[in-house]
Amino acid sequence: MIAEHIKELSPFAAQFAADVRAGLLRPAQKELPSKYLYDATGSMLFEAISVMPEYGLTRADERLLRRHAGDIVRLLPGPLAVSELGSGSGKKTRCILEALCGREAISYYPIEISATALASCERELADIDCVSILGVEREYLEGLREVAARRVPGAHLLVLFLGSTIGNFDAGADCRFLRGVRETLISGDSLLLGTDLVKPLDRLLPAYDDPTGVTAAFNLNILARINRELDADFNLRQFEHLARFNQRTSSVEMHLRSKKAQTVTIPRAEFMVRFVEGETIWTESSHKYSVSELSNLAEASGFRCAAQWIDEEWKFAESLLMAE
Ligand code: AVI
């Protein structure tokens, strides 16, 4: 009996179990929320993806920030505090913080749900003298509201949302999220938004299906995580990674395809799930924007696009959006 295996679940595990159950018991396309790709193993695999020759996205983001940090900072009113949604490795943020240090001391508020990620960002940026790092362990919008509430009168806020993380949001959720960001800001505040752009499929698809198999491991790790945390019995060798471009949504989708008809038991989420041969679990969408779509998005969420820098080597945009 499955019920015999159920133990007390932490609130996080209970939510994970509920999301896995809801996603895998969907009558049509099975799916898993992409946020669960990022446990400790998944985050390390993503770091590896970001240095793969086929995956140009992270390098393009870093290149733009390195080249244009001075131009970006010149467009911003001071005094300024900086907050970042998802602190990442801290490597990209360094350029912006160092450019700002030329003119003033800076409070930097990285917002992350993971204490481990915050700690590594603090380590990475600790040597920049004029920056005080004040980590906020919260969901993005909740954290941003907290940062805005701590604002020193007269100071402006620069929010960083880099790496095209916004492209992983569900359709329509990008605009809703940016509206939420805009609502926490006041006139004169700004958002620096990094987004991956549409590009030919012969460049795009290998970035999500590299020959070394790192992206496949990143994707399959979500099943391994369900095994580890919910005592499931997914046989990872009976699923394969699949990346395909959805023209309608302009997104690269990652799926896990069942190689045969099989049943998987997930005791701590109290269910069993059947797969037919070839059926897939949709694990992530990575939206690829067009430049015109970006200006519409900015406008629809209450920002004005004040400047934009595009990497020509790997089409990627850094857009400076002003709250007016
Ligand atoms: C984090 N995010 C922007 C990555 C992307 O490209 O959508 C996640 C990723 N998935 C597979 N490779 C990288």
Side-chain angles (χ1 to χ4, degrees), residues 135-194:
V136 181
E137 198 183 326
R138 292 273 184 280
E139 297 276 350
Y140 291 159
L141 288 181
E142 195 189 336
L144 196 57
R145 281 192 281 271
E146 203 174 300
V147 172
R150 289 196 229 166
R151 175 200 297 271
V152 176
H156 285 295
L157 204 55
L158 165 66
V159 180
L160 306 175
F161 197 25
L162 306 174
S164 205
T165 303
I166 194 160
N168 298 129
F169 287 16
D170 291 341
D174 52 359
C175 189
R176 284 195 297 280
F177 180 78
L178 292 188
R179 279 199 195 121
V181 171
R182 175 63 190 86
E183 277 161 21
T184 63
L185 303 181
I186 57 172
S187 175
D189 291 347
S190 49
L191 168 69
L192 185 65
L193 182 69

Side-chain angles (χ1 to χ4, degrees), residues 120-313:
S120 75
C121 160
E122 280 169 24
R123 266 195 313 277
E124 173 72 30
L125 300 172
D127 64 307
I128 317 181
D129 282 342
C130 66
V131 175
S132 315
I133 307 177
L134 304 140
V136 181
E137 198 183 326
R138 292 273 184 280
E139 297 276 350
Y140 291 159
L141 288 181
E142 195 189 336
L144 196 57
R145 281 192 281 271
E146 203 174 300
V147 172
R150 289 196 229 166
R151 175 200 297 271
V152 176
H156 285 295
L157 204 55
L158 165 66
V159 180
L160 306 175
F161 197 25
L162 306 174
S164 205
T165 303
I166 194 160
N168 298 129
F169 287 16
D170 291 341
D174 52 359
C175 189
R176 284 195 297 280
F177 180 78
L178 292 188
R179 279 199 195 121
V181 171
R182 175 63 190 86
E183 277 161 21
T184 63
L185 303 181
I186 57 172
S187 175
D189 291 347
S190 49
L191 168 69
L192 185 65
L193 182 69
T195 45
D196 204 17
L197 300 178
V198 265
K199 52 185 67 61
L201 289 191
D202 60 350
R203 292 206 79 195
L204 205 46
L205 285 177
Y208 291 85
D209 194 9
D210 59 273
T212 343
V214 181
T215 310
F218 171 69
N219 197 7
L220 282 162
N221 176 60
I222 200 167
L223 302 185
R225 179 178 190 180
I226 298 172
N227 285 350
R228 284 191 294 271
E229 297 181 22
L230 300 175
D231 289 342
D233 59 0
F234 276 105
N235 179 346
L236 270 59
R237 295 192 191 282
Q238 297 303 344
F239 286 86
E240 65 192 356
H241 167 70
L242 179 72
R244 62 183 182 214
F245 190 71
N246 183 328
Q247 292 284 357
R248 189 181 54 81
T249 59
S250 188
S251 303
V252 179
E253 292 181 0
M254 289 205 313
H255 290 252
L256 290 163
R257 179 162 51 195
S258 177
K259 292 187 191 170
K260 59 170 196 179
Q262 53 185 318
T263 301
V264 175
T265 308
I266 310 183
R268 300 187 95 196
E270 301 183 88
F271 75 106
M272 287 162 83
V273 56
R274 287 197 175 78
F275 293 90
V276 297
E277 186 182 337
E279 184 176 9
T280 72
I281 310 171
W282 179 15
T283 51
E284 187 188 63
S285 276
S286 188
H287 184 68
K288 304 303 163 191
Y289 291 87
S290 67
V291 170
S292 59
E293 186 184 2
L294 282 175
S295 45
N296 291 340
L297 181 65
E299 205 177 305
S301 48
F303 287 99
R304 175 180 62 87
C305 185
Q308 190 173 66
W309 297 268
I310 292 178
D311 190 75
E312 290 304 327
E313 216 174 305

